Amino acid sequence: MLRALAGTSVPHPRLHAGSLDFGVIGAPFSVLEKIEGFMPRGGLPGAYGTDPEWRRKLAFELIGGAASLAAVDPDAIGLGDLSRTDGWLDKQISRYLTMLHGYRETDGYTDAESPLVDVVAAWLEDNRPKTWHRGIVHGDLQFANVMFRHDAPELAAIVDWEMAAVGDPLLDLAWILTAWREEGDPPGSDPQLKPWDGMPGRAELVAHWATLTGRDVSDFRWFQVLACFRLAALLERSFVLALKGRMNRAMGDGLHKYAGWLWAKAEQEIART
């Protein structure tokens, strides 16, 4: 990914060198550009924490990074075969529903399972878009996987590309906005950043992405529900590992609680007209 992104407008760490040969240092490795910046989680530093306008710019910069990636043609940079895309829309639902149904085999899971699992999956099936736009999807685009400059409200780099695939970039936008919080959201989940005041709402950010990319966003609600569905499925996997004693139980319970918020958000989006 990093080698292919060189020369594009996508902010990313440059790849200086790397090798898959275990004989060099005993493991595959890469040497990346050092990025001067910080990951925006928890209390925001400096002017980000004191100036609401810096926080607004932070939000738009994150969306701008997603838009710059959406503009990249995977074939033009040699990533056309990064992942299989036949039946991409169909597989989004069946893959994660199979995963969720499989969790029911774990002792203690069924009693804690959300009753919305099959409801959300059925809505996604019934409202699936007829077409999708082929591009590169980061796969986990969120505050935890980006770095911002300290001296200006600018995106320094998008990092952690191991989940990248070919798909519809609208999913990256939706993934970002699962972590957003605004008035009217279901209760029980606080913003990832503090302070949060001054942040634009989801609708404003979707419109900004549409302006930057020139994409039709009329199917965005479907992608927002899909992002909640996918992320909840991944978080529930961690909860299952915790039930099996293979992960810290308190952490597993916390992720399960967050999955519950995602199911509630998906239900809210489904009900919205």
Side-chain angles (χ1 to χ4, degrees):
M1 278 299 306
L2 296 179
R3 185 177 292 112
L5 287 173
T8 71
S9 64
V10 179
H12 65 281
R14 288 176 295 170
L15 176 67
H16 291 308
S19 175
L20 298 178
D21 184 353
F22 279 78
V24 181
I25 64 171
F29 72 95
S30 57
V31 180
L32 307 183
E33 172 191 15
K34 180 181 179 181
I35 301 297
E36 296 292 345
F38 73 101
M39 180 187 74
R41 292 290 296 268
L44 290 169
Y48 290 98
T50 59
D51 189 341
E53 188 57 33
W54 273 51
R55 292 193 290 277
R56 275 186 62 81
K57 289 181 178 179
L58 176 146
F60 287 114
E61 281 283 306
L62 178 56
I63 298 302
S68 67
L69 180 60
V72 175
D73 178 355
D75 295 316
I77 61 171
L79 294 179
D81 60 352
L82 180 63
S83 58
R84 295 181 59 181
T85 57
D86 51 306
W88 186 83
L89 278 175
D90 302 341
K91 292 176 180 177
Q92 294 308 300
I93 306 161
S94 60
R95 175 185 177 186
Y96 291 94
L97 185 59
T98 298
M99 185 185 299
L100 285 158
H101 285 172
Y103 300 156
R104 295 171 178 173
E105 299 176 4
T106 300
D107 290 343
Y109 177 79
T110 303
D111 292 341
E113 182 183 23
S114 170
L116 294 170
V117 170
D118 293 314
V119 172
V120 173
W123 184 89
L124 287 168
E125 287 284 5
D126 292 343
N127 293 274
R128 185 170 56 232
K130 292 181 173 59
T131 60
W132 62 284
H133 183 88
R134 187 170 174 273
I136 299 172
V137 177
H138 178 277
D140 195 16
L141 197 49
Q142 55 166 310
F143 285 123
N145 289 328
V146 295
M147 296 181 68
F148 277 81
R149 291 178 53 180
H150 287 284
D151 59 349
E154 295 178 7
L155 181 64
I158 300 172
V159 298
D160 292 348
W161 291 88
E162 66 272 9
M163 291 179 66
V166 175
D168 193 317
L170 260 177
L171 184 58
D172 271 344
L173 176 62
W175 199 268
I176 291 171
L177 296 184
T178 61
W180 230 249
R181 299 295 178 266
E182 59 188 28
E183 186 176 354
D185 278 351
S189 182
D190 295 329
Q192 296 178 355
L193 309 180
K194 294 180 180 181
W196 187 257
D197 63 290
M199 285 293 206
R202 291 187 186 92
E204 192 175 358
L205 295 174
V206 171
H208 183 61
W209 188 90
T211 298
L212 292 175
T213 62
R215 283 282 309 278
D216 175 16
V217 293
S218 56
D219 289 325
F220 177 74
R221 182 165 64 124
W222 187 87
F223 280 89
Q224 184 72 93
V225 175
L226 176 64
C228 290
F229 181 73
R230 282 179 48 142
L231 181 52
L234 296 173
L235 295 177
E236 289 290 70
R237 181 178 182 275
S238 295
F239 178 55
V240 167
L241 292 175
L243 289 174
K244 292 179 177 179
R246 295 166 54 190
M247 181 178 176
N248 178 273
R249 181 58 189 265
M251 181 178 293
D253 287 345
L255 295 175
H256 177 62
K257 180 180 178 181
Y258 184 33
W261 185 90
L262 290 166
W263 293 120
K265 182 59 184 172
E267 182 183 38
Q268 183 183 68
E269 289 295 313
I270 288 171
R272 186 167 58 84
T273 59

